[in-house]
Amino acid sequence: EVARSQFLAEVAQTLRLPISALQKDFEAQRIRLNRQQAARPAQPANDGAPASPEPKVSTKDTSEHHLLMIVLHFESLGRPLSLTLPHDWIDQTHPAGVPLNRFLAEFEQESWPGRDHLETLLETPEERTLVASMLFESPQIDDPVKVANEALRRIQARALEPRVRQIELALANAHADSNVDANSLFKELLDIKRLLRAPLRLPAVE
């Protein structure tokens, strides 16, 4: 406890934060992590039986699918979307992720050919089938900006929240003489949480 108090005092001094607020936040994070660990079910012994596959998320439920639909049916949002969403946050393991990333690159470079001239941008039969089926749909979207902003928020959370958990765990296990650069980690944690409190949003579109 003494080592931890010294550690928190050093972090508070470096970050110029009230020690009381830092202690309260640190203790809240420690309790939350302990509860999460206690809530995890014990791993059963491996008896040689194959593990049950993880339930798959429906293709149409992914943020990438929603944004691809937006780009195809509301093309005026393609350019601002390409400038808002970091390309490395797009999950290209999802069927819609690869064409979405490619389409947004075209919008970013202002070379988008239009939804009726996508032949050269589709590289596989699967991509052609996916995009053709989405073009054939008539999406019931009253507010495409709202849909796009929600997809952006979910992608941002998916990209950043694992790092938050990683840092919180490292800080919870840190002590004064550890090799963890707690000051840098805590500053990074504050920066990420600040980003999560202000989700990505499309700029106003004329």
Side-chain angles (χ1 to χ4, degrees):
E1 290 297 329
V2 173
R4 180 165 290 176
S5 297
Q6 292 174 346
F7 157 71
L8 289 175
E10 292 175 4
V11 173
Q13 182 178 6
T14 301
L15 298 177
R16 298 180 180 178
L17 294 171
I19 182 64
S20 58
L22 187 60
Q23 287 174 330
K24 182 178 179 181
D25 189 51
F26 188 90
E27 184 63 19
Q29 291 177 3
R30 186 183 67 80
I31 292 173
R32 181 158 58 85
L33 284 170
N34 288 341
R35 287 175 177 170
Q36 289 175 350
Q37 291 173 352
R40 291 194 186 108
Q43 294 293 328
N46 186 358
D47 57 2
S52 299
E54 292 290 329
K56 292 185 178 180
V57 176
S58 170
T59 298
K60 292 187 177 183
D61 289 338
T62 66
S63 298
E64 283 76 8
H65 186 93
H66 295 162
L67 290 181
L68 184 57
M69 184 70 77
I70 292 293
V71 164
L72 291 173
H73 289 275
F74 304 92
E75 293 175 276
S76 63
L77 298 181
R79 171 71 173 168
L81 186 58
S82 73
L83 300 176
T84 302
L85 176 61
H87 288 250
D88 57 352
W89 285 5
I90 298 173
D91 188 345
Q92 298 191 54
T93 65
H94 290 313
V98 174
L100 174 65
N101 188 56
R102 195 178 302 132
F103 291 176
L104 290 182
E106 295 293 319
F107 277 110
E108 187 174 6
Q109 297 166 14
E110 299 186 325
S111 55
W112 174 247
R115 52 174 276 173
D116 296 326
H117 305 280
L118 298 177
E119 297 84 1
T120 60
L121 298 181
L122 300 172
E123 298 180 353
T124 67
E126 292 77 14
E127 289 179 8
R128 286 189 282 273
T129 299
L130 173 65
V131 171
S133 66
M134 295 177 75
L135 286 172
F136 186 74
E137 289 185 43
S138 298
Q140 303 299 313
I141 300 177
D142 296 328
D143 190 343
V145 172
K146 182 178 180 180
V147 173
N149 284 338
E150 175 58 19
L152 288 171
R153 184 195 66 77
R154 290 169 58 186
I155 290 175
Q156 181 180 29
R158 186 184 67 200
L160 298 180
E161 286 178 354
R163 180 57 179 163
V164 169
R165 292 191 291 271
Q166 185 181 23
I167 294 174
E168 288 177 341
L169 184 60
L171 289 174
N173 295 326
H175 48 83
D177 58 349
S178 71
N179 294 325
V180 174
D181 186 353
N183 293 343
S184 296
L185 285 179
F186 205 87
K187 183 178 183 301
E188 183 183 353
L189 179 63
L190 294 178
D191 289 342
I192 294 175
K193 287 191 171 183
R194 190 177 300 115
L195 289 174
L196 290 172
R197 287 195 297 270
L200 292 178
R201 296 182 62 83
L202 289 179
V205 180
E206 297 293 338

